[in-house]
Amino acid sequence: MTKRFGLALTLAAGLMAAPVMATDMTAMEDGERTAFREEVRNYLLENPEVLMEAIAVLERRQAAEQVATDGSLVANNAEELFNDGFSHVSGNPDGDITMVEFVDYRCGYCRKAFPELKALVEGDGNIRVIYKEFPILGEASIMTSRFAISAQLVAGDEAYGQVHDAMMIMRGNPSEAVLVDLANDLGLDGTAIWAGMDVPRVDEIIGQNHLLAQRMNISGTPTFVMENQMLRGYVPLDGMMQIVSEIRDAKDS
């Protein structure tokens, strides 16, 4: 059942069961109540566009409420989102738009979004990107996330960027040998990075990201924060470009 069809059934049931201004259904006899419901049903069947109009209004209202809620969540957690002091920053560090991604290397939609996000950032040239390691898809997710964080702690921001990009396009399942070889092929010390995965700081960073996600009602990946907006799920390149344009237009107005 589609979301829209489910809304239609809910609205129809509500219209047929709820009291209306001019008619107190609780004062009706059983026969009158049945006749009234049948009349409403027939009207909706003969005029289904009324139901579609009601659904459209409801969807717009829900979307507006979600935008307002998300804006408040971003504002209340802005410092940890944009300036936590440990999350990797790529793109233009002085960009006029900041974009945060909650990412899991084993997430298919994160991997699908990866080349489009790179195209957006490289093509625009004025976007700051912050990565939040958010492993939620099992042991392989945790392993790769810990390896990426360790790369940053052991070898610095540039190393993190290299490992991040390589793991986003890596085929097959991760293992110690696979990840060590991946880092070695990038000119890094894969053995040292693997050994650094178990330091307490790695646990702290992942734990803080999970707590932040919990406060922001984020449960899936990818989730993007673009300035004061939240994008829950994969967004194609043209959609992200449109949002960037709308954010800049709003800033200029």
Side-chain angles (χ1 to χ4, degrees), residues 202-220:
V202 174
D203 292 319
E204 291 172 5
I205 290 172
I206 292 177
Q208 287 181 50
N209 286 344
H210 275 270
L211 287 173
L212 175 61
Q214 185 177 15
R215 288 197 300 274
M216 298 191 64
N217 297 329
I218 294 172
S219 59

Side-chain angles (χ1 to χ4, degrees), residues 34-52:
T34 299
F36 176 76
R37 287 174 172 166
E38 185 65 23
E39 185 175 344
V40 171
R41 179 179 182 277
N42 290 336
Y43 177 81
L44 291 175
L45 290 174
E46 294 170 3
N47 302 275
E49 66 277 5
V50 172
L51 201 52
M52 294 301 101

Side-chain angles (χ1 to χ4, degrees), residues 14-92:
L15 286 171
M16 294 175 68
V20 293
M21 292 293 291
T23 306
D24 182 2
M25 291 186 66
T26 62
M28 290 181 178
E29 299 291 340
D30 288 345
E32 293 174 326
R33 188 179 298 110
T34 299
F36 176 76
R37 287 174 172 166
E38 185 65 23
E39 185 175 344
V40 171
R41 179 179 182 277
N42 290 336
Y43 177 81
L44 291 175
L45 290 174
E46 294 170 3
N47 302 275
E49 66 277 5
V50 172
L51 201 52
M52 294 301 101
E53 290 172 8
I55 291 172
V57 170
L58 178 60
E59 289 178 337
R60 288 196 297 271
R61 184 178 302 164
Q62 290 175 335
E65 291 172 351
Q66 185 65 61
V67 168
T69 299
D70 287 346
S72 296
L73 290 173
V74 172
N76 293 337
N77 295 279
E79 190 64 23
E80 290 188 68
L81 278 169
F82 304 123
N83 300 292
D84 63 15
F86 58 80
S87 294
H88 177 75
V89 179
S90 67
N92 182 348

Side-chain angles (χ1 to χ4, degrees), residues 104 135-147 197 206:
D104 183 322
I136 57 174
L137 297 175
E139 290 301 319
S141 294
I142 296 171
M143 180 191 301
T144 48
S145 182
R146 295 179 73 88
F147 194 79
M197 289 169 56
I206 292 177

